Each structure stands twice: as structure tokens, then as C-alpha cells.
Amino acid sequence: MPSLSCNSYPESQNNMEDSKRQGTRVFKKSSPNGKITVYLGKRDFVDHVTHVDPIDGVVLVDKEYLKDRKVYGHVLAAFRYGREDLDVLGLTFRKDLYLASEQIYPCSENGSTNKNLSRLQERLMKKLGDNAFPFFFELPPHCPASVTLQPAPTDTGKPCGVDYELKAYVAESPDDKPHKRSSVRLAIRKVMYAPAKQGEQPSVEVSKDFMMSPNKLHLEASLDKELYYHGETVAVNVHIQNNSNKSVKRIKVSIRQFADICLFSTAQYKCTVAEVDTEEGCPVGPGFTLSKVVHLTPLLAYNKDKRGLALDGQLKHEDTNLASSSL
């Protein structure tokens, strides 16, 4: 399936505790004819590396309207790789993949009623009455996170990227084409949270040979930690040992984003998101050493003009960040 691997969200226990104190927030959306309504406790579902948060909620139905028909639900992931205004003659630049589907009403033998209901589902069903039915979807492993590719200022329509959608609809069978008037479509996101435990401190060493020089130029770069959260400054420790007969005149340090896009074949795109080019401490002549720390802060605010830059998926037109790294 299409995937984009592109720093990760911190999992904030304080935010979770605050939301509990403030009360439970519920997202609600009804079909155009008002006959089915979907209730969700959240629209961001977290990939914890070992598992992904289940997508669970409640659907309120009008049984008189349904008669002998059923209510189905599915979760759809889609990768749009072309502009929406180029979709002509039945050709769409979009690859869809159904990740999960379920018959919500009447409840099937393997349906959500046979699973342990969440506290929110129990409360909603108690409040909404006998016409409320639970649903429960689990995303398969290795699904890509929600990602948007930054469009050019002149681009119109939906941007390229990976997005997720929860859909509930009325039909006689799951293969029937649903009508818009009796369907509910709700955009959701799959987001990556960083583990709380830091890994090893990244470090790399390289040496450079020069013609007519008996010895090498050694360069060592290391970071102060492995994981960074959005908005954090990255401190790069640079150590140069010049055993060659050349002089180092300037130092350039950059942070680049790599995005692997798998469609018909795998392609990798790279983009510089932060860069420092400095002559401070230079020149470093033959036989001399230099140690310094360079600070960089990769932010979307500094990269608004770069088309194709991978960003975290958006719900509507809210602000977002550079895409979180896939773990």
C-alpha cells in the first residue's frame, strides 16, 4: 500500500489528565436526511508502534426508515498522488484501500456487541437509547500515518497525500453503492507518537582523502539525543581534526526530510528543512582542530514555499507540522 516515511509527537500525560477533568468531547455527524448519526470520541488515532488505537463509536439509526435494509461501516485509507482538478474521463489520481469493514446494524455474530465496549460507548448507548449501536474497527499493522504533501500556492483542490475516512451508510448489501443522502463520512487521522524512552545518542564519523596529501581530514558529528519533538532545537556537535594539507573554509549543517512514496515503484524524495552555513571558527588549517555546536530548528513556518514537503495530515484547514517520522 502507499506509504510515506517522513519528528514525532510527544505523548502528553498532562493533556490526557486535563481532558478528563474538562469532560468528554464527542464528535457528531448526521447524514443529509438525518436518518443515521455517527458519534466518535476522537478523530486522532495513535500508532503506539506496538498497536494502533481502535476506532470505536456509536451509530444512531432510524429503524422505521431502514425497514429491511442494513447499516454498514468501513474505514478507508486513500493515497492521492495527483491534483483533484486533473480527475477527468473516469481517470482518478487516487489509490483507495479498504482497511476494515463491518455490519453495524443488525448486529452480526462477530460484531461490536460481542466486544468489550468502551466507557464512552456505554454512556452514549445509555443516553441515546435502543436505536444506538456500537462499532469497532482495528487498523491493520504498518498502515502509513496521515500525511499531506504541501501544495504549490497556485494549486487548487484537495492536496496529495494519505488520508483516512470513516464511513457509515444504509444499504441492502455491503456491495451496494451507498446514496449520499443516507451516508455519513467523517475524516479521521492516524498519528505517530514517539516512545518516551530515548535511544542511543546518534553519532557518525567520516574521513576525506585529498590528492597529494599524506593524511586525512576527519569529521565527527553527533546529536545531543535521538528523539526531538516539533518546535525543538536540534544541537549538532561538530568536531573537525584536520590532518591534511588543506584548509577548511566553511561549515554547512543541514536537516533533510526523506519521504519514501510507494505506488507503482518506490521513490525517495528529500528536502532540506533547516540549514546553517557558517565561517565561524574557520579557516581550520593543516594540523588544527575545531569543536563547536550548531543549532538548527526545523519548522514548517520556514518552509512554506517548498512544494511536495511532507506534513502531518490535516483535518480541514488547521495548522500542522512537518511530517512526524515513521517508527
Side-chain angles (χ1 to χ4, degrees), residues 119-160:
R119 185 167 176 265
L120 177 63
Q121 285 177 311
E122 290 176 347
R123 291 170 62 188
L124 283 171
M125 292 176 67
K126 184 177 179 181
K127 183 175 181 179
L128 298 173
D130 294 337
N131 289 343
F133 299 91
F135 60 83
F136 183 94
F137 297 107
E138 287 185 294
L139 294 177
H142 312 304
C143 291
S146 299
V147 174
T148 299
L149 300 182
Q150 183 164 257
T154 56
D155 287 348
T156 58
K158 200 170 184 180
C160 298

Side-chain angles (χ1 to χ4, degrees), residues 289-303:
T289 61
L290 174 68
S291 294
K292 65 178 300 167
V293 179
V294 179
H295 295 92
L296 304 94
T297 307
L299 291 173
L300 175 57
Y302 304 148
N303 295 278

Side-chain angles (χ1 to χ4, degrees), residues 47 64 69 86 94 111 114-115 137 143-144 146 152 164 175 188 193-194 232 234 239 253 261 265 281 285 292 319:
D47 185 342
E64 293 183 3
R69 292 176 296 176
L86 296 178
R94 177 185 173 98
N114 297 319
K115 296 183 174 68
F137 297 107
C143 291
S146 299
Y164 287 80
D175 299 325
I188 58 176
Y193 272 8
E232 276 194 290
V234 179
H239 178 73
V253 181
I261 301 180
S265 61
K292 65 178 300 167
D319 291 335

Side-chain angles (χ1 to χ4, degrees), residues 30 93 143 237 326:
S30 299
F93 295 89
C143 291
N237 302 289
S326 298

